[in-house]
Amino acid sequence: MKIDIILSGVGGQGILSIAAVIGEAALKDGLYMKQAEVHGMSQRGGDVQSNLRLSDKPIASDLIALGQADLIISLEPMESLRYLPYLKKEGWLVTNSEPFINIPNYPEMDKVMAELNKLPNKVVLDVEAIAKEVGSTRSANIVMLGAAAPFLKIDYPKIEEGIRRIFGRKGEEVVELNLKALQAGYAVAQSKNK
């Protein structure tokens, strides 16, 4: 088993929390893991990106080559476009439909969506709206993780366990909220893949 994942978004969206939960789940599953992070001006809404490589065999490099990513998980639609050259032809994109407009020349959303719609394997969802329904927009990143869960090649209960380990120190209420967010995203991905 091997899976190469690119996580992308804007500073403050929780990209690195997604990576931490996946990492915990992968380690519990007995997998090897390598991670490389690029932090832009994350405090000011700059781009944040992480390469996450999981395998049942030792991994040499922590970087994913062009055309080799199995999965892109993006909390920002324009940021997902930035990393599409890394996606395999048969790879999956799981992205937010709602932009985080942090630059004056942000492209028109119609054009961004037109590019995303060219992809055969994608899940596009409004994670903030789903997170709000669950009870907290702060869990939007975990909604996104739930939507990506069917493509991670990691058992769902191990992802839940990853959430418990990463968020456990924040209390049971935070853990339960994040588990609900994970399930809500997972349900959306399942319904879009039928």
Side-chain angles (χ1 to χ4, degrees), residues 33 43 48 55 71 85 87 89 96 105 112 134 142-143 189:
M33 179 183 85
Q43 308 266 274
V48 175
S55 178
L71 175 63
L87 191 63
K89 283 187 175 24
N96 192 5
N105 56 346
V112 172
V134 169
I142 304 302
V143 171

Side-chain angles (χ1 to χ4, degrees), residues 21-169:
V21 171
I22 294 172
E24 280 289 326
L27 293 174
K28 280 287 180 199
D29 217 12
L31 298 174
Y32 291 93
M33 179 183 85
K34 290 260 184 170
Q35 182 178 2
E37 299 169 0
V38 175
H39 302 264
M41 293 172 46
S42 57
Q43 308 266 274
R44 299 179 189 212
D47 67 311
V48 175
Q49 178 260 340
S50 180
N51 282 223
L52 190 57
R53 305 189 72 208
L54 311 174
S55 178
D56 55 1
K57 295 178 177 58
I59 303 164
S61 173
D62 53 0
L63 296 178
I64 299 168
L66 287 170
Q68 295 304 305
D70 298 291
L71 175 63
I72 294 174
I73 303 170
S74 183
L75 280 159
E76 209 293 319
M78 187 185 74
E79 290 299 322
S80 66
L81 287 179
R82 182 188 310 259
Y83 296 101
L84 284 184
Y86 289 88
L87 191 63
K88 287 180 176 175
K89 283 187 175 24
E90 68 279 8
W92 279 85
L93 170 69
V94 181
T95 188
N96 192 5
S97 62
E98 299 305 305
F100 183 94
I101 300 175
N102 58 344
I103 54 173
N105 56 346
Y106 194 98
E108 294 174 31
M109 271 310 292
D110 291 348
K111 291 180 180 174
V112 172
M113 292 311 293
E115 286 302 310
L116 296 179
N117 285 330
K118 292 177 183 176
L119 295 172
N121 300 325
K122 65 186 170 300
V123 175
V124 181
L125 65 162
D126 183 345
V127 292
E128 284 85 8
I130 296 166
K132 191 173 186 178
E133 286 175 26
V134 169
S136 171
T137 55
R138 294 188 70 192
S139 63
N141 61 330
I142 304 302
V143 171
M144 182 61 71
L145 174 59
F151 314 107
L152 290 175
K153 301 179 186 175
I154 297 174
D155 291 336
Y156 187 83
K158 294 220 170 68
I159 300 169
E160 290 178 314
E161 199 173 321
I163 285 177
R164 286 188 182 92
R165 288 188 51 83
I166 295 298
F167 294 103
R169 65 181 179 2

